[in-house]
Amino acid sequence: MSPRPAGGARRCRHRGCRRRPREPPEQLRFVPTHEDLTMDVAALRRMVEEDRAAGRTPFCVVANVGTTRSAAVDPLPEIAEVCREHDLWMHGDGAFGAAAAIVPEGREALRGIEELDSLSIDPHKWWFQPFEIGGLLVKDTGHLRDMFRLVPDYLADLDADEGEVNFYDHGFQTTRSFRALKLWMSLKTFGADSFRAAVRGGLERAERLAARIAAEPGWTVESGPRLATLTFRYTGTDAASEGDLNALNRALADHVMASNRVGLHTTGIHGRTVMRICTINPRTTPEDEDTVLDVLRESLAATLTAAAGAATVGTPADATAVTPADATARTPADATARTPADVTGRA
């Protein structure tokens, strides 16, 4: 058989790596992750070697540069070492997290980002742009030109020299809109320092909220804070199983959302249902942070009260309250008195 190309992506990945079919094609390999959701580099190295031994030709590794779920950042320097050893292209999915590189604290969290051959980023996320604008950064633009440049006869007179940029030489689209205009205008209007201050503010808010949530009785921070993101859940209950604990936290999040005061969604980490907060909105105030804690406390009290009420229904005491006399008191007439309307009316 002829060699088949194979690419690698980590198991906690951007959904763009896996659309259809539902099962990954043989050319795409998912690399296991550690408990902290970062790529297992030893497993990556082993999988590359296995692919080569099987006659495949690995060519690209996709590393995460701040995941949406938990802001996990893969060990980029170690992955780069494997890529150099095996002559692999190293791409970074920085759609959300790469924006933090504009401040020193973010660059420290993204250590090794300079090793990437290419990096994707969505300025409509942490650079506060209107939807939609995506970006691709490459170390060597010649790779894009070599891949996409095609000059039909009718464009021969307009063909640019090497020093001129024609974006149709760098992608699929011959005609495209000026999506970058809004980012350029934002930088010209507000200045890069305003962007840096906004990104730094998001990092600081996540630190404060994580500390406050961890100090609340029964609450556990599951991941972060990193890159303005943290996940957490309530664990201060005698839940019978992990499933019961997950259901409790889903109910908690539902109650928070129903308040219309805080937007809080759940996600999953190693089978655990957790709540996720991303603090990148630069308009968030200290009063908003207080509101988050207030709503969490109120929702917890209401959810635990509802759970306790549900638990008392159908207890052994309730069951024994039905005596033989009560049972025999129900006649056939009583039984037929329940109409379909009565049955469907029960919540």
Side-chain angles (χ1 to χ4, degrees):
M1 294 180 66
S2 61
R4 294 161 293 173
R10 45 165 301 178
R11 194 167 294 279
C12 180
R13 71 262 179 201
H14 192 282
R15 65 175 182 168
C17 287
R18 181 177 174 178
R19 291 283 192 173
R20 290 292 188 269
R22 295 299 298 175
E23 291 303 317
E26 63 178 5
Q27 292 88 357
L28 186 61
R29 299 260 270 158
F30 294 110
V31 183
T33 58
H34 295 296
E35 177 67 24
D36 64 357
L37 301 177
T38 61
M39 185 186 290
D40 183 339
V41 180
L44 170 67
R45 187 186 301 276
R46 183 173 62 253
M47 293 168 73
V48 170
E49 293 170 353
E50 289 172 353
D51 279 342
R52 290 196 184 282
R56 301 185 180 94
T57 306
F59 72 96
C60 177
V61 175
V62 179
N64 267 311
V65 185
T67 61
T68 301
R69 184 194 315 186
S70 65
V73 178
D74 286 333
L76 304 179
E78 291 82 358
I79 296 172
E81 182 179 344
V82 174
C83 290
R84 283 193 297 269
E85 289 176 9
H86 294 277
D87 193 24
L88 306 175
W89 184 276
M90 183 177 174
H91 175 73
D93 175 8
F96 159 65
I102 63 175
V103 296
E105 308 93 304
R107 287 196 293 276
E108 177 60 28
L110 304 176
R111 187 176 63 88
I113 193 173
E114 69 281 354
E115 301 276 5
L116 297 170
D117 295 301
S118 58
L119 171 69
S120 55
I121 182 171
D122 287 344
H124 61 240
K125 293 178 180 172
W126 208 354
W127 282 349
F128 321 111
Q129 297 305 294
F131 185 83
E132 43 80 30
I133 170 174
L136 175 69
L137 305 178
V138 293
K139 275 186 176 179
D140 183 355
T141 57
H143 289 300
L144 294 179
R145 187 178 173 89
D146 292 343
M147 178 69 187
F148 295 108
R149 185 170 181 266
L150 181 65
V151 185
D153 292 343
Y154 56 84
L155 291 179
D157 294 340
L158 302 176
D159 188 28
D161 60 33
E162 294 292 335
E164 182 179 339
V165 175
N166 275 336
F167 285 106
Y168 60 70
D169 287 340
H170 296 78
F172 289 107
Q173 292 176 279
T174 301
T175 304
R176 59 185 228 167
S177 61
F178 190 2
R179 294 185 182 91
L181 176 62
K182 49 197 168 189
L183 179 58
W184 183 84
M185 288 291 292
S186 296
L187 287 167
K188 287 295 184 180
T189 302
F190 300 106
D193 285 344
S194 295
F195 279 75
R196 294 187 186 100
V199 168
R200 182 175 289 113
L203 296 171
E204 293 170 349
R205 278 189 292 276
E207 294 281 351
R208 289 195 299 269
L209 274 173
R212 295 182 66 179
I213 290 171
E216 292 286 312
W219 290 91
T220 301
V221 174
E222 292 286 328
S223 68
R226 56 192 173 207
L227 299 181
T229 304
L230 64 139
T231 65
F232 59 97
R233 66 176 182 162
Y234 185 72
T235 57
T237 181
D238 297 327
S241 66
E242 186 66 36
D244 291 339
L245 195 57
N246 287 342
L248 174 63
N249 280 276
R250 283 192 294 270
L252 259 170
D254 289 344
H255 196 281
V256 170
M257 289 295 291
S259 74
N260 286 325
R261 295 164 66 194
V262 174
L264 187 67
H265 296 279
T266 62
T267 186
I269 294 181
H270 298 303
R272 301 188 295 271
T273 297
V274 299
M275 286 166 271
R276 174 183 176 275
I277 287 180
C278 184
T279 59
I280 65 175
N281 189 337
R283 293 182 175 144
T284 304
T285 65
E287 290 74 24
D288 293 328
E289 296 174 30
D290 293 339
T291 299
V292 171
L293 272 295
D294 291 341
V295 172
L296 283 176
R297 295 185 190 110
E298 294 166 8
S299 297
L300 175 62
T303 303
L304 291 179
T305 298
T312 59
V313 176
T315 62
D318 295 328
T320 55
V322 179
T323 65
D326 294 324
T328 56
R330 293 184 61 201
T331 65
D334 295 324
T336 56
R338 294 183 62 208
T339 67
D342 296 323
V343 175
T344 57
R346 298 175 64 195

